[in-house]
Amino acid sequence: MLALGCRPSVPAEIRYRVVVSDSPQLAGATVTRQGTSVGTLSAAGAIEFTTPSSVRPSALALAVALPTPCGPRSAPIALQRTPDADSDRRIAELMATERVVLLRASLSSIAGLASSLVLLDRGADARPVRIGEAVIAGATRATLFHGDCGASAPVRVGDEVIGTWRSASAATLVSLEPVCHRLSSLGYGDAVAGPPVVFRQRVRALSEVPEYVLTPAPASVRARRHEGARYVRELVRAPCPEGPPASEVAARAMANGGCLAAMPALRRAVNDDQDDIASAVQFAVCAARNVEREGVEIAQRALAVHPEARERFVQAFRDAGLAGAAAGL
C-alpha cells in the first residue's frame, strides 16, 4: 500500500511479464530482444525477464524463434501497449505494487504461415525429438512451422531416425517407444463409425487432428439441440497384432490365392505402415478389380502421404487393364 502523497520512483531494473495470447503450442520457443535471448515461452505462452530502467515497452522489440525443419525463423511479437505504457508514473506504480509490468501481446505476424501439429507419445523416454533442425524438448504437443524447408524431414530420437515428417499432414504422431496405436472415429447418437486403424509406425501422418490424444474418448457426450449424430477421433495406445508382419502374410496369400485371399492382409499392411507403398499399390489394384472407385480411393489416401508415388499407382492400374482407375488419379 502506497502512502498518500508519496510517488514511487522507477527502480534501476524493470521486471517484465509478457503473455502472448495466441502462441500456438510454442512452449519452449526462444524469445529474443534485439537478437539476444531473454528466455523461452512457458506452456501458457508467457515469459518474464528483466531490463534496465531505460528500456520501456515501446523499445522492447521482442521476437520469437519459430521452429521449422530447416532452422528457427524469427517472428516479431506485437505488444499491446496503453498510451502511457512508457511513462515513469505507470512503470513506477506497477513495480511498486505488482513487482512486474504485465504486457499482453500477439503473434499476428505468423498469420498465414503454414504449420502443422506434432503429437508426441513419450512414454518413459524424455529425450528431445529433432525434426530436421527443429528440436522439441519436453513438450507433448508442439506446432512446427514449414518455412521453405521442403515437403519432408527426418525425425530423430537421439541418433536414431525413426521416420519422416511430411508437411502435407495436419498432424504427425511421433512415438518415442516402439508401441502400437489405434486411431478410431467414434460415433455418438445416430452416428455410424467405421473400423479403427491399428498401426505400429513410430511416425504417422494424420489427415486430421484427433480430439482425444492418448486419452480415451468419453463413453457418452451431451447432445446439442437438434443434434442427431456426432463424431470424434481418438488416438490411443493399443496392443500390437500378434504373428508375422501383415506385409509378409499378404505376400504369401497373394502368391497362393491371389487378390481375394490377400485383401484382408493387404488392408492390415497398409494400415500398419503408410510407407509400405508396395502393399498400397497391390491393395489398390486388387480393390479396383472389384470396385474401381474403391481402388482409386485407396490410391488417393496413399498419395496424400506419398504424392511422389503417383506414377507407380498409375502404371500398376494400366498394367492390370484398369485404365479408368489410372485416369482417376
Side-chain angles (χ1 to χ4, degrees):
M1 180 72 68
L2 297 176
L4 292 176
C6 293
R7 178 174 294 179
S9 59
V10 177
E13 292 183 330
I14 301 174
R15 183 72 177 172
Y16 286 107
R17 176 176 173 81
V18 178
V19 179
V20 185
S21 59
D22 56 352
S23 58
Q25 308 292 341
L26 284 175
T30 298
V31 176
T32 61
R33 188 178 77 82
Q34 298 179 344
T36 301
S37 173
V38 294
T40 60
L41 286 176
S42 69
I47 184 171
E48 289 195 18
F49 56 93
T50 301
T51 71
S53 62
S54 59
V55 180
R56 300 302 167 90
S58 63
L60 284 176
L62 299 177
V64 63
L66 303 178
T68 80
C70 49
R73 172 175 176 170
S74 181
I77 296 175
L79 298 177
Q80 301 166 7
R81 303 190 306 269
T82 59
D84 63 342
D86 286 358
S87 70
D88 284 356
R89 178 174 181 174
R90 179 171 176 79
I91 296 292
E93 288 181 352
L94 287 173
M95 288 298 296
T97 58
E98 306 296 333
R99 306 300 186 201
V100 68
V101 175
L102 175 63
L103 295 172
R104 302 287 178 181
S106 67
L107 284 173
S108 56
S109 61
I110 69 172
L113 291 182
S115 66
S116 59
L117 201 60
V118 179
L119 308 171
L120 287 93
D121 183 354
R122 291 188 172 277
D125 195 332
R127 289 179 295 171
V129 172
R130 184 182 292 274
I131 301 178
E133 297 300 317
V135 177
I136 303 173
T140 56
R141 184 180 288 240
T143 298
L144 186 63
F145 291 85
H146 300 176
D148 300 318
C149 306
S152 63
V155 180
R156 292 183 173 87
V157 178
D159 296 329
E160 179 187 7
V161 177
I162 64 170
T164 302
W165 167 86
R166 292 181 171 83
S167 63
S169 58
T172 302
L173 171 71
V174 177
S175 179
L176 278 69
E177 297 180 341
V179 299
C180 289
H181 292 82
R182 183 182 67 244
L183 179 63
S184 307
S185 178
L186 305 179
Y188 299 94
D190 298 332
V192 178
V197 173
V198 177
F199 59 90
R200 67 182 75 229
Q201 257 184 305
R202 294 174 68 184
V203 178
R204 181 83 171 191
L206 304 174
S207 59
E208 297 176 296
V209 181
E211 287 84 357
Y212 296 89
V213 178
L214 304 180
T215 301
S220 62
V221 295
R222 183 181 296 276
R224 304 184 186 97
R225 189 177 182 183
H226 305 308
E227 182 181 31
R230 186 190 307 181
Y231 293 91
V232 300
R233 290 167 296 274
E234 172 194 78
L235 178 62
V236 294
R237 284 194 176 194
C240 290
E242 297 181 354
S247 57
E248 294 181 10
V249 176
R252 288 197 298 269
M254 194 72 194
N256 296 327
C259 278
L260 185 61
M263 282 287 281
L266 284 170
R267 184 184 301 277
R268 291 197 305 272
V270 171
N271 286 344
D272 187 56
D273 187 354
Q274 293 171 322
D275 296 334
D276 185 359
I277 297 300
S279 292
V281 169
Q282 189 64 72
F283 186 32
V285 169
C286 285
R289 289 187 189 279
N290 294 323
V291 181
E292 189 174 273
R293 176 180 54 81
E294 291 185 6
V296 172
E297 290 175 354
I298 291 167
Q300 289 173 337
R301 286 196 295 271
L303 291 176
V305 180
H306 287 279
E308 73 283 355
R310 180 180 180 278
E311 286 307 313
R312 190 169 172 181
F313 280 94
V314 170
Q315 190 60 49
F317 282 141
R318 288 174 178 164
D319 292 346
L322 298 165
L329 297 180

